[in-house]
Amino acid sequence: MPATLPLELLSEIASLLYEAGDCLVPYTTVCRRWQAAFEPFIYSDLIVYSDDAHKEESQKGISLAHFQKATAGSGAIRQVWIRKLHVDNPVREANDQAFQTAITALFETLSSWNQSHRLSLELGLLGRQMGEEPEPHTWDYEDAGEYSICAMR
């Protein structure tokens, strides 16, 4: 019986479940007709995270590697269903937040100093490392140099 429902009715069911916030992925395994009805909703607003190693358990979305596989070759039809694409990298977000907090605190401190003092300020950025590997989708850049504390002049 489920396989004989008209595609329009299946799409309406998928729409109602999508709006209710239900996970639609299990419905795509019923049969190919259900997959055809539910996948456009699954891929319409998609979250892609950088890699499996940094995905939190409650985090929604798919890995970049899975996204690439799912939208290539015979899955290229999925490309037209995507309306919103969110890219998530929790490690980079934590790093960005730490940098923003630190740089704000630095400039708040410097703004309280006597304005007649001359100061040369050099800023450099370091990527966070996860064990021996750098942050996902980053790499060493030889011109960045080593970290050093610059003397104030």
Side-chain angles (χ1 to χ4, degrees):
M1 169 86 178
T4 61
L5 289 174
L7 192 57
E8 295 82 10
L9 183 56
L10 287 173
S11 291
E12 188 62 30
I13 293 168
S15 174
L16 292 171
L17 291 171
Y18 177 77
E19 289 174 16
D22 288 2
C23 178
L24 303 181
V25 175
Y27 298 102
T28 64
T29 62
V30 173
C31 66
R32 290 207 185 271
R33 289 179 55 78
W34 281 52
Q35 181 181 7
F38 282 80
E39 275 193 346
F41 293 96
I42 293 170
Y43 285 93
S44 67
D45 188 356
L46 196 58
I47 299 170
V48 177
Y49 53 87
S50 58
D51 60 18
D52 289 323
H54 297 96
K55 182 180 186 283
E56 297 173 11
E57 192 161 320
S58 63
Q59 185 179 6
K60 292 183 178 184
I62 61 175
S63 71
L64 179 58
H66 184 244
F67 173 75
Q68 290 168 330
K69 288 178 190 173
T71 58
S74 63
I77 185 66
R78 295 177 178 125
Q79 295 172 6
V80 299
W81 298 332
I82 299 171
R83 296 290 175 249
K84 289 184 184 176
L85 184 61
H86 311 271
V87 181
D88 189 21
N89 184 334
V91 174
R92 182 163 293 141
E93 288 173 13
N95 197 20
D96 290 348
Q97 183 62 41
F99 177 77
Q100 179 181 357
T101 301
I103 205 74
T104 300
L106 172 67
F107 282 105
E108 284 175 358
T109 300
L110 293 176
S111 69
S112 69
W113 289 12
N114 184 331
Q115 299 299 310
S116 65
H117 290 272
R118 295 181 55 92
L119 171 69
S120 174
L121 180 65
E122 295 181 26
L123 299 174
L125 300 176
L126 295 175
R128 180 179 291 173
Q129 285 196 264
M130 307 299 292
E132 295 295 317
E133 296 296 316
E135 175 183 358
H137 304 289
T138 63
W139 51 91
D140 288 330
Y141 189 66
E142 60 189 51
D143 290 344
E146 295 294 319
Y147 175 74
S148 62
I149 299 175
C150 300
M152 289 187 255
R153 298 179 210 152

